[in-house]
Amino acid sequence: MRTPFLKMHGLGNDFIIIDERPVRYDLTPARIAALSDRHRGIGCDQLVLLRPACAPGADVFVRFFNADGSEAGACGNASRCVARLLADETGRASVTLQTRAGLLPGRVEADGRISVNMGAPRLAWDAVPLTDACDTLMLPIDGSPAALSMGNPHVTFFVDDLASVDPAVRGAPLERHALFAEGANIGFAQRIGDDHLRLRVWERGAGLTLACGSGACAAAVNAMRKGLVGHACRVTMDGGDLDIVWERAGRGDVWMTGPAVVAFDGHVALAAVSA
């Protein structure tokens, strides 16, 4: 059986997208990890499955898997890529994704970039989740990082000189710190100007990536909570820029805007990939 797939990326944060709306492939974590391998598989930061939506008003149900085969509740750049696909498929400028983190509205902007509403950040310690009650704006860890959930757990360290930080060396051991009940994505951010951050993220289950959409949302919101930037912020990562707005009215949703690009499509013989 040769299975069709699409390769997309948002700022170099790349994804294998497999459409399971016509047929289910029942991919195991081991097979997802094998497909994600950049030497023996297709290669990606995350693998994304599209399934029929079961929530009223949603266009598709989306599942996100890290390169190690573990499942993630949310992925910002992948959400924008799927929103791009759905907009092209339906001819509509606005679409809605159903995810484990909730319904995510998306839209095509006039300049062609894609915006996705990532929902309201979860700021309580048990919503991150952490193993112990503490102030999520100043965790009891060296460097006093801030934590929140954007559908997946994020921790942001604010540093004076990002160039002096190796995210792999510092992020890898922190990913599974005892305080993080489900592990965490570890971001290192530097304020480089008014309403402008520089960010690098060690992603849980994926490692260092060129960009992390939910990590950019988390860094921006944590910077806003600390008074470092205003309610709108540009986040520059190795792969490029995302614009983040935290709405203070209503639920306090976070909108993320940036590019979503199709790299190529193809077919893969699943039987030849490790199960």
Side-chain angles (χ1 to χ4, degrees), residues 81-248:
C81 287
V82 174
R84 160 75 70 188
L85 285 181
L86 289 177
D88 292 344
E89 181 181 288
T90 63
R92 304 199 318 264
S94 297
V95 297
T96 301
L97 315 184
Q98 179 187 359
T99 73
R100 285 179 54 201
L103 296 181
L104 306 183
R107 65 182 181 233
V108 182
E109 301 294 350
D111 61 5
R113 293 186 302 164
I114 305 297
S115 294
V116 167
N117 182 338
M118 294 293 290
R122 301 167 191 171
L123 308 179
W125 70 270
D126 54 349
V128 175
L130 304 177
T131 55
D132 296 304
C134 59
D135 182 358
T136 60
L137 197 55
M138 189 174 293
L139 299 186
I141 295 175
D142 187 32
S144 301
L148 56 76
S149 173
M150 289 301 313
N152 51 357
H154 283 275
V155 174
T156 311
F157 289 82
F158 290 93
V159 300
D160 293 329
D161 180 15
L162 188 58
S164 67
V165 177
D166 187 331
V169 171
R170 289 189 60 184
L174 285 167
E175 174 188 349
R176 297 297 174 185
H177 190 282
L179 185 60
F180 310 139
E182 299 175 1
N185 299 280
I186 310 297
F188 300 91
Q190 177 185 347
R191 183 182 182 275
I192 60 174
D194 292 342
D195 300 327
H196 193 179
L197 299 175
R198 177 77 171 91
L199 174 69
R200 302 188 77 192
V201 179
W202 176 267
E203 291 197 48
R204 178 186 61 171
L208 185 63
T209 57
L210 291 176
C212 177
S214 58
C217 294
V221 169
N222 282 330
M224 294 169 194
R225 295 169 70 200
K226 287 180 174 288
L228 299 177
V229 297
H231 77 283
C233 177
R234 174 157 291 184
V235 179
T236 297
M237 292 165 285
D238 291 350
D241 295 341
L242 289 174
D243 289 322
I244 311 298
V245 175
W246 186 16
E247 297 177 339
R248 297 306 176 92

